[in-house]
Amino acid sequence: MPAILLAGFMCSGKTTLGEALARRLAVRFIDLDDAIERSCGMSVSEIFRLKGEKGFREIEVQMLHRVLNENPDGVIALGGGTPCTPGVMEMLNHMGITVWLEADLDRLIPRLMQGRSVRPLLQGLETEEEMKLFVKDKLALRNPYYSKAGHQFNSSFLENESEIEASVNRFIKTILPEVVR
Ligand code: S3P
């Protein structure tokens, strides 16, 4: 099976869905942020603090190449900003099945509010209103990159085990019908 490459905004469900999907397909799951943190011996927040966003993006692209080489047939959860480095989506489309996960805003905002503390780009966003404005601005910049993915998947429903299972079933049925029978 080719690699399955999950793109999408922060908290769109790349890790949650990716882990469950990999388990179902009995293949490896790799979270790019985790791979970066392990390799650098630092959290993503520390890397941003020490090297800035530009430094993080350089490390991110290097690690992406390594992870793709080492896992040509795994499920890989990218970081929210990974596809937005020019040329990356084109490369990913050659390397595997790319899928843009999109969660409805009313599901995404509470997840972002909860996951704020470990995401440097979300620091200082105190209210849901501020978060909503930030997300709308960022999506306007990022959607042109995400939309280069080969497939789109609604990842709104991942809040409990039964939603996750139903989402994995829908993912396999709609995106992998030729690959998984
Ligand atoms: C980022 C998303 C994060 C992480 C970093 C930057 C982004 O990953 O790579 O904080 O630019 O959207 P998740 O999408 O897994 O939160």
PDB file of all heavy atoms in Angstrom, residues 105 109 127-137:
ATOM      1  N   LEU A 105     -16.055  24.215  11.666  1.00  0.00           N
ATOM      2  CA  LEU A 105     -15.521  25.208  12.601  1.00  0.00           C
ATOM      3  C   LEU A 105     -16.062  25.005  14.027  1.00  0.00           C
ATOM      4  O   LEU A 105     -15.328  25.178  15.007  1.00  0.00           O
ATOM      5  CB  LEU A 105     -15.873  26.609  12.088  1.00  0.00           C
ATOM      6  CG  LEU A 105     -14.820  27.691  12.272  1.00  0.00           C
ATOM      7  CD1 LEU A 105     -13.466  27.269  11.733  1.00  0.00           C
ATOM      8  CD2 LEU A 105     -15.277  28.992  11.630  1.00  0.00           C
ATOM      9  N   ILE A 109     -13.000  24.651  16.720  1.00  0.00           N
ATOM     10  CA  ILE A 109     -12.652  25.711  17.686  1.00  0.00           C
ATOM     11  C   ILE A 109     -12.484  25.150  19.117  1.00  0.00           C
ATOM     12  O   ILE A 109     -11.460  25.406  19.760  1.00  0.00           O
ATOM     13  CB  ILE A 109     -13.672  26.879  17.640  1.00  0.00           C
ATOM     14  CG1 ILE A 109     -13.654  27.540  16.250  1.00  0.00           C
ATOM     15  CG2 ILE A 109     -13.414  27.911  18.742  1.00  0.00           C
ATOM     16  CD1 ILE A 109     -12.366  28.228  15.849  1.00  0.00           C
ATOM     17  N   THR A 127      -9.871  33.837  23.792  1.00  0.00           N
ATOM     18  CA  THR A 127     -11.307  33.555  23.703  1.00  0.00           C
ATOM     19  C   THR A 127     -11.631  32.820  22.397  1.00  0.00           C
ATOM     20  O   THR A 127     -10.839  32.838  21.449  1.00  0.00           O
ATOM     21  CB  THR A 127     -12.131  34.859  23.711  1.00  0.00           C
ATOM     22  OG1 THR A 127     -11.800  35.599  22.514  1.00  0.00           O
ATOM     23  CG2 THR A 127     -11.800  35.730  24.917  1.00  0.00           C
ATOM     24  N   GLU A 128     -12.820  32.203  22.371  1.00  0.00           N
ATOM     25  CA  GLU A 128     -13.244  31.495  21.153  1.00  0.00           C
ATOM     26  C   GLU A 128     -13.338  32.465  19.985  1.00  0.00           C
ATOM     27  O   GLU A 128     -13.052  32.105  18.847  1.00  0.00           O
ATOM     28  CB  GLU A 128     -14.596  30.803  21.392  1.00  0.00           C
ATOM     29  CG  GLU A 128     -14.506  29.677  22.390  1.00  0.00           C
ATOM     30  CD  GLU A 128     -15.447  28.518  22.077  1.00  0.00           C
ATOM     31  OE1 GLU A 128     -16.319  28.681  21.210  1.00  0.00           O
ATOM     32  OE2 GLU A 128     -15.300  27.455  22.731  1.00  0.00           O
ATOM     33  N   GLU A 129     -13.762  33.706  20.273  1.00  0.00           N
ATOM     34  CA  GLU A 129     -13.880  34.720  19.209  1.00  0.00           C
ATOM     35  C   GLU A 129     -12.517  35.014  18.587  1.00  0.00           C
ATOM     36  O   GLU A 129     -12.373  35.073  17.363  1.00  0.00           O
ATOM     37  CB  GLU A 129     -14.486  36.023  19.770  1.00  0.00           C
ATOM     38  CG  GLU A 129     -15.995  36.049  19.779  1.00  0.00           C
ATOM     39  CD  GLU A 129     -16.633  35.471  18.519  1.00  0.00           C
ATOM     40  OE1 GLU A 129     -16.328  36.001  17.428  1.00  0.00           O
ATOM     41  OE2 GLU A 129     -17.396  34.497  18.602  1.00  0.00           O
ATOM     42  N   GLU A 130     -11.521  35.213  19.443  1.00  0.00           N
ATOM     43  CA  GLU A 130     -10.154  35.465  18.936  1.00  0.00           C
ATOM     44  C   GLU A 130      -9.669  34.274  18.133  1.00  0.00           C
ATOM     45  O   GLU A 130      -9.039  34.426  17.078  1.00  0.00           O
ATOM     46  CB  GLU A 130      -9.183  35.723  20.109  1.00  0.00           C
ATOM     47  CG  GLU A 130      -9.350  37.077  20.765  1.00  0.00           C
ATOM     48  CD  GLU A 130      -8.503  37.206  22.042  1.00  0.00           C
ATOM     49  OE1 GLU A 130      -7.810  36.249  22.430  1.00  0.00           O
ATOM     50  OE2 GLU A 130      -8.574  38.287  22.655  1.00  0.00           O
ATOM     51  N   MET A 131      -9.953  33.079  18.629  1.00  0.00           N
ATOM     52  CA  MET A 131      -9.526  31.856  17.944  1.00  0.00           C
ATOM     53  C   MET A 131     -10.173  31.777  16.560  1.00  0.00           C
ATOM     54  O   MET A 131      -9.523  31.461  15.567  1.00  0.00           O
ATOM     55  CB  MET A 131      -9.899  30.643  18.794  1.00  0.00           C
ATOM     56  CG  MET A 131      -9.371  29.329  18.272  1.00  0.00           C
ATOM     57  SD  MET A 131      -7.565  29.214  18.300  1.00  0.00           S
ATOM     58  CE  MET A 131      -7.270  28.806  20.016  1.00  0.00           C
ATOM     59  N   LYS A 132     -11.468  32.089  16.510  1.00  0.00           N
ATOM     60  CA  LYS A 132     -12.200  32.006  15.244  1.00  0.00           C
ATOM     61  C   LYS A 132     -11.587  32.948  14.206  1.00  0.00           C
ATOM     62  O   LYS A 132     -11.394  32.579  13.049  1.00  0.00           O
ATOM     63  CB  LYS A 132     -13.662  32.385  15.495  1.00  0.00           C
ATOM     64  CG  LYS A 132     -14.635  31.407  14.856  1.00  0.00           C
ATOM     65  CD  LYS A 132     -16.058  31.767  15.160  1.00  0.00           C
ATOM     66  CE  LYS A 132     -16.608  30.860  16.236  1.00  0.00           C
ATOM     67  NZ  LYS A 132     -17.982  31.102  16.608  1.00  0.00           N
ATOM     68  N   LEU A 133     -11.260  34.159  14.627  1.00  0.00           N
ATOM     69  CA  LEU A 133     -10.672  35.135  13.687  1.00  0.00           C
ATOM     70  C   LEU A 133      -9.312  34.640  13.194  1.00  0.00           C
ATOM     71  O   LEU A 133      -9.003  34.717  12.005  1.00  0.00           O
ATOM     72  CB  LEU A 133     -10.499  36.500  14.368  1.00  0.00           C
ATOM     73  CG  LEU A 133     -11.781  37.300  14.570  1.00  0.00           C
ATOM     74  CD1 LEU A 133     -11.476  38.592  15.331  1.00  0.00           C
ATOM     75  CD2 LEU A 133     -12.419  37.626  13.215  1.00  0.00           C
ATOM     76  N   PHE A 134      -8.515  34.124  14.133  1.00  0.00           N
ATOM     77  CA  PHE A 134      -7.190  33.602  13.773  1.00  0.00           C
ATOM     78  C   PHE A 134      -7.329  32.469  12.748  1.00  0.00           C
ATOM     79  O   PHE A 134      -6.641  32.440  11.734  1.00  0.00           O
ATOM     80  CB  PHE A 134      -6.484  33.091  15.039  1.00  0.00           C
ATOM     81  CG  PHE A 134      -5.241  32.281  14.744  1.00  0.00           C
ATOM     82  CD1 PHE A 134      -4.035  32.902  14.458  1.00  0.00           C
ATOM     83  CD2 PHE A 134      -5.284  30.883  14.744  1.00  0.00           C
ATOM     84  CE1 PHE A 134      -2.891  32.143  14.168  1.00  0.00           C
ATOM     85  CE2 PHE A 134      -4.145  30.129  14.450  1.00  0.00           C
ATOM     86  CZ  PHE A 134      -2.950  30.763  14.167  1.00  0.00           C
ATOM     87  N   VAL A 135      -8.251  31.542  13.027  1.00  0.00           N
ATOM     88  CA  VAL A 135      -8.416  30.373  12.152  1.00  0.00           C
ATOM     89  C   VAL A 135      -8.859  30.820  10.767  1.00  0.00           C
ATOM     90  O   VAL A 135      -8.338  30.342   9.748  1.00  0.00           O
ATOM     91  CB  VAL A 135      -9.435  29.374  12.764  1.00  0.00           C
ATOM     92  CG1 VAL A 135      -9.781  28.273  11.781  1.00  0.00           C
ATOM     93  CG2 VAL A 135      -8.870  28.768  14.034  1.00  0.00           C
ATOM     94  N   LYS A 136      -9.799  31.758  10.709  1.00  0.00           N
ATOM     95  CA  LYS A 136     -10.296  32.207   9.401  1.00  0.00           C
ATOM     96  C   LYS A 136      -9.177  32.828   8.578  1.00  0.00           C
ATOM     97  O   LYS A 136      -9.030  32.557   7.385  1.00  0.00           O
ATOM     98  CB  LYS A 136     -11.457  33.176   9.577  1.00  0.00           C
ATOM     99  CG  LYS A 136     -12.728  32.428   9.938  1.00  0.00           C
ATOM    100  CD  LYS A 136     -13.944  33.314   9.936  1.00  0.00           C
ATOM    101  CE  LYS A 136     -15.189  32.441  10.185  1.00  0.00           C
ATOM    102  NZ  LYS A 136     -16.306  33.192  10.720  1.00  0.00           N
ATOM    103  N   ASP A 137      -8.361  33.672   9.233  1.00  0.00           N
ATOM    104  CA  ASP A 137      -7.226  34.319   8.527  1.00  0.00           C
ATOM    105  C   ASP A 137      -6.234  33.270   8.035  1.00  0.00           C
ATOM    106  O   ASP A 137      -5.769  33.314   6.908  1.00  0.00           O
ATOM    107  CB  ASP A 137      -6.481  35.278   9.467  1.00  0.00           C
ATOM    108  CG  ASP A 137      -7.230  36.584   9.619  1.00  0.00           C
ATOM    109  OD1 ASP A 137      -8.229  36.777   8.900  1.00  0.00           O
ATOM    110  OD2 ASP A 137      -6.812  37.403  10.472  1.00  0.00           O
TER     111      ASP A 137
END
